[in-house]
Amino acid sequence: MLFAKVVLGLPVEGPFDYSVPTRLHKNIKVGMRVWIQFRDRKKLGYVVKVTQKTNIEHVKPILEIIDNLPVLDKNMLELARELSDYYCCSWGEAIETALPDALRKGRRITGNIESHKYIRIKNKEEALLIHDLDGKARWDIYLSRMKETVNNGKSVIMLLPDIGSAVKARETITGNLGIQPLLLYRKQPKELDAWLLARKPESNIVVGTRSAIFAPSSNLGLVIIDEEQDTVYKQDQVPHYHAREVAFMRTEIEGAKLILGSISPSLESFYLAKMGKIKYTALPRVNGFPQVMIIDMRNERRQFKQGNIILSKYLQDSISQVLDSKGKALLFLNRKGFATFASCRNCGEVLKCPRCNVNLVYHFKENILNCHYCNFKMAPPGICPSCNSAYIRYLGMGTEKIESEVSRVFPHARIKRLDDAARGHTDDADIFISTASIIRRASYNFDLIGILSIDNSLNRIDLRSTEKALALLAGLLLLTDKKLVIQTHLPNHYSLRAIENKDINIFYAEELKQRKQLGFPPYRHLCLVKLRGKKENTVEEASRALFEKLNKYTQNNKTIKIVSFNPGQPAKLRGNFYWQVLIKAVSPLKISRFLNLHLKKFPHSGIIITVDVDPL
């Protein structure tokens, strides 16, 4: 008698034992998809082991094998197992995050599936971190290593932050190596067809976004993650995996090499390099750094006795010089819209999204109030919904307001906002206004860049706020060879000093020092246990009860600390209220084992609980 151990893409512990009918004995293999009966429902499962014994008295039979060959090889099953242990999810959930949507829904694969030979390589290759201050120099290393890997009969996976970057990378690789990489990303047209192509040996280079780290490439020899510090590599749904961490797991399992490239490496990667756990190389800026000027807006306010100055006198003079020389200027502000909130002068009521409880942003051109979280829209009210007065005012500063102010100061200049959808050249305007989306367009080059406000990024209630701000600054530096002007109320902040002194190590030294003192990543691992539900009081009470219960379990535990419980950021989103419990530990595996043991004992009717290990 044969039995199969099966896991499901559900938040339930497994595997579960099922008997294999005699008619399926010759066909059943590890890694196959099967239909099973689970809690009186027909469900899709994944076979992780075939055995001749079971300790279960009454075992249900497998209903049907879906494909003629396994969709998962042993390497991928092992990777999914490690991912589930690290990110506190079920083995089946980890498996499903690696597969195309069509396979998760049970679509049968017609024809033969490319079968991989399982080779367990024990030689661990040391990863390489490329700190590319030039922004383009790392591509010489990428292309050289790709060519070497392919010539050795192995395959390559390359991750980019977005689809546009992936398409551009594919063109670069084709132009330099004469190889047409396979493009792979979630929800692409014919995603399953692309996934099946990736299994074929001739698909020796796969280029894609975050999910491409699970590409079923045969004989993997190299993984490259470009802009490895980008937060898009962190999955915002369960399991909350980070592609960089999965890359470390996969390259160790398959004996492949790993290259991380960035203009502003993450603290985690920089720390690994500092500790000698991965190799590190810094590529200098070929054309040298632009002139960097930091303008203290506190002095500006005192000198001109104005409350809200958008353009400092120095920046205005710099823009005038650029316009006189027929140059191009970019003004950067990482907030869209005209005003960031609307409020009543009479009672102080701030207009908020009814589903998310965050400020509605006013967009002047469309004359609309918009929620940037759930896209809720409403027409600006004529009177205050709270006190019925007609004194609604619009405050805060977005890119539309900057456009209005610049038009007033420079009436003869051609001005253009570069929003997310904007494309094209810099021939049709003199002054450009943009958010962070401009950083993805490395082909642009400006004579002057004015950063109107970086303080919002630096002051955010976020462990990684300064790290993210530095990445913004480093990205903007690549868009000019001449002059960068930063307006700030924090002129002595170490991230700004690092840019001003053209020494990014100033930032890393200070940030790592502070993180060590506070016991924050990369010195410790954090975890958020997130609770959400429709009733605010119920979610808050459950969060408090969970905090107290977990605290009780860790009284004498020196490796895990339950730090706090507090509202989520934001506290309400798309009609659900959020609270979270923060945990700190020496390793993610300890967090995962601890929560797997104790969360199942916690009653939470009407509340959804999810776990985010290493939150960003």
Side-chain angles (χ1 to χ4, degrees):
M1 189 68 180
L2 282 182
F3 300 92
K5 293 188 178 293
V6 179
V7 296
L8 299 94
L10 300 171
V12 291
E13 286 299 317
F16 301 95
D17 286 7
Y18 285 84
S19 64
V20 182
T22 306
R23 61 186 171 83
L24 301 179
H25 276 200
K26 291 183 179 179
N27 300 324
I28 194 77
K29 290 183 178 66
V30 170
M32 280 185 157
R33 296 183 300 153
V34 293
W35 289 113
I36 56 173
Q37 199 80 15
F38 184 78
R39 293 176 182 169
D40 299 324
R41 289 188 177 183
K42 186 179 179 182
K43 292 285 186 182
L44 187 147
Y46 305 90
V47 178
V48 296
K49 188 176 181 180
V50 177
T51 179
Q52 294 181 339
K53 295 180 180 179
T54 181
N55 296 322
I56 309 300
E57 194 169 332
H58 300 291
V59 183
K60 294 179 182 178
I62 286 174
L63 302 178
E64 183 185 356
I65 294 174
I66 299 176
D67 308 301
N68 61 345
L69 284 171
V71 297
L72 299 155
D73 62 18
K74 291 186 179 180
N75 282 340
M76 194 58 70
L77 283 172
E78 186 174 344
L79 177 64
R81 177 78 268 184
E82 285 194 24
L83 192 149
S84 71
D85 290 342
Y86 191 108
Y87 289 104
C88 195
C89 65
S90 74
W91 195 355
E93 286 177 304
I95 286 172
E96 290 213 327
T97 203
L99 295 175
D101 189 55
L103 293 185
R104 296 196 297 270
K105 291 180 177 178
R107 179 176 159 186
R108 189 186 300 272
I109 299 173
T110 56
N112 291 324
I113 306 172
E114 197 74 32
S115 181
H116 292 173
K117 289 183 179 179
Y118 173 67
I119 304 172
R120 173 67 172 172
I121 307 291
K122 293 185 179 180
N123 297 329
K124 183 179 177 181
E125 295 283 352
E126 193 172 18
L128 169 66
L129 173 62
I130 304 174
H131 191 168
D132 184 10
L133 298 171
D134 186 67
K136 299 176 183 176
R138 63 187 181 275
W139 266 96
D140 290 336
I141 298 177
Y142 290 169
L143 293 168
S144 173
R145 295 292 178 87
M146 283 182 189
K147 184 177 181 179
E148 178 186 340
T149 303
V150 172
N151 287 344
N152 288 334
K154 296 187 175 184
S155 59
V156 178
I157 295 174
M158 182 177 191
L159 304 189
L160 286 302
D162 58 90
I163 296 169
S165 300
V167 170
K168 189 175 179 181
R170 183 174 65 167
E171 293 170 355
T172 301
I173 294 166
T174 302
N176 285 272
L177 301 182
I179 298 172
Q180 178 76 33
L182 176 69
L183 191 63
L184 191 64
Y185 58 91
R186 279 283 184 262
K187 296 182 180 178
Q188 72 185 100
K190 298 183 178 179
E191 180 190 3
L192 179 57
D193 291 345
W195 185 86
L196 289 170
L197 277 174
R199 295 177 67 96
K200 296 181 179 294
E202 53 265 33
S203 296
N204 44 22
I205 300 180
V206 172
V207 173
T209 53
R210 177 182 61 225
S211 61
I213 189 59
F214 300 107
S217 302
S218 62
N219 200 15
L220 185 64
L222 174 65
V223 174
I224 298 173
I225 303 182
D226 193 45
E227 296 301 346
E228 60 86 25
Q229 86 295 339
D230 202 308
T231 56
V232 300
Y233 289 121
K234 175 74 171 179
Q235 167 91 333
D236 59 2
Q237 297 173 335
V238 176
H240 295 283
Y241 73 88
H242 196 297
R244 182 182 61 236
E245 192 61 42
V246 177
F248 274 109
M249 295 176 187
R250 184 167 185 185
T251 51
E252 183 171 357
I253 289 171
E254 304 206 27
K257 297 177 182 178
L258 174 62
I259 297 178
L260 307 173
S262 176
I263 56 172
S264 173
S266 63
L267 258 290
E268 282 80 0
S269 296
F270 190 86
Y271 176 72
L272 288 175
K274 182 184 177 186
M275 299 301 292
K277 294 183 179 180
I278 63 175
K279 294 178 183 177
Y280 173 83
T281 184
L283 305 178
R285 185 159 171 149
V286 175
N287 296 324
F289 282 87
Q291 177 189 1
V292 177
M293 291 295 298
I294 295 179
I295 308 301
D296 188 343
M297 296 303 285
R298 299 171 300 177
N299 294 337
E300 201 80 8
R301 284 185 176 183
R302 286 193 291 265
Q303 183 177 350
F304 296 99
K305 298 179 180 179
Q306 287 179 251
N308 187 24
I309 298 173
I310 295 178
L311 299 176
S312 64
K313 181 67 168 60
Y314 183 86
L315 183 54
Q316 287 187 39
D317 291 343
S318 298
I319 293 172
S320 295
Q321 291 172 11
V322 168
L323 293 177
D324 290 342
S325 63
K326 307 297 182 185
K328 305 291 181 182
L330 170 69
L331 298 179
F332 172 84
L333 180 69
N334 207 21
R335 283 181 298 192
K336 295 180 184 178
F338 184 87
T340 53
F341 68 98
S343 69
C344 175
R345 287 187 186 181
N346 186 52
C347 70
E349 177 80 7
V350 176
L351 300 179
K352 293 180 178 289
C353 172
R355 293 188 289 194
C356 302
N357 200 30
V358 297
N359 295 346
L360 291 170
V361 177
Y362 177 60
H363 291 259
F364 180 81
K365 187 176 180 181
E366 296 90 355
N367 190 31
I368 202 84
L369 287 166
N370 191 11
C371 173
H372 286 181
Y373 282 89
C374 73
N375 211 28
F376 167 83
K377 294 179 180 180
M378 64 176 281
I383 59 173
C384 173
S386 180
C387 70
N388 294 326
S389 68
Y391 296 103
I392 301 293
R393 60 179 177 175
Y394 299 96
L395 303 169
M397 187 169 59
T399 51
E400 288 183 18
K401 192 168 187 176
I402 298 302
E403 183 180 20
S404 175
E405 174 67 9
V406 174
S407 298
R408 184 187 66 80
V409 179
F410 301 100
H412 302 297
R414 297 175 301 164
I415 301 165
K416 180 180 180 181
R417 269 190 300 118
L418 291 170
D419 56 25
D420 290 341
R423 290 289 182 269
H425 304 287
T426 55
D427 301 333
D428 54 350
D430 307 308
I431 302 174
F432 296 83
I433 301 164
S434 183
T435 59
S437 60
I438 189 71
I439 293 173
R440 301 215 189 277
R441 304 169 201 171
S443 58
Y444 283 178
N445 192 278
F446 299 94
D447 300 283
L448 167 69
I449 295 179
I451 300 175
L452 303 185
S453 178
I454 196 68
D455 298 0
N456 293 321
S457 298
L458 293 172
N459 286 329
R460 214 170 270 160
I461 304 174
D462 179 357
L463 159 68
R464 303 176 191 274
S465 59
T466 53
E467 188 179 351
K468 293 172 184 175
L470 183 81
L472 274 176
L473 293 169
L476 290 167
L477 267 175
L478 299 180
L479 300 178
T480 181
D481 296 325
K482 296 182 180 178
K483 194 172 189 178
L484 181 75
V485 178
I486 304 172
Q487 295 186 169
T488 179
H489 293 84
L490 305 166
N492 296 317
H493 196 282
Y494 54 92
S495 61
L496 301 183
R497 284 193 286 109
I499 297 296
E500 184 180 29
N501 293 313
K502 305 172 180 62
D503 183 4
I504 209 164
N505 288 303
I506 292 173
F507 167 81
Y508 286 111
E510 182 61 31
E511 185 71 8
L512 285 172
K513 176 184 173 184
Q514 292 188 19
R515 297 272 189 99
K516 187 174 184 179
Q517 290 172 346
L518 296 169
F520 282 166
Y523 298 95
R524 287 290 186 273
H525 288 267
L526 298 180
C527 171
L528 286 177
V529 181
K530 301 177 180 179
L531 298 87
R532 76 176 188 266
K534 297 294 182 182
K535 297 180 180 179
E536 184 175 11
N537 289 340
T538 305
V539 178
E540 181 181 354
E541 288 169 9
S543 175
R544 180 183 285 105
L546 180 60
F547 171 77
E548 292 171 354
K549 187 176 285 286
L550 295 181
N551 237 331
K552 180 181 176 182
Y553 292 135
T554 56
Q555 288 293 322
N556 300 314
N557 193 327
K558 294 182 180 180
T559 61
I560 297 177
K561 181 180 180 182
I562 313 302
V563 180
S564 64
F565 76 97
N566 49 281
Q569 297 293 329
K572 185 182 180 184
L573 189 62
R574 300 181 186 92
N576 281 303
F577 292 94
Y578 285 77
W579 277 73
Q580 55 197 25
V581 177
L582 178 62
I583 302 173
K584 187 191 296 186
V586 295
S587 82
L589 292 179
K590 288 188 179 296
I591 294 174
S592 188
R593 288 168 188 156
F594 173 76
L595 291 177
N596 276 328
L597 179 64
H598 296 296
L599 279 184
K600 65 178 69 173
K601 302 175 184 176
F602 181 73
H604 53 277
S605 178
I607 293 175
I608 295 173
I609 297 179
T610 57
V611 177
D612 186 358
V613 178
D614 296 340
L616 293 184

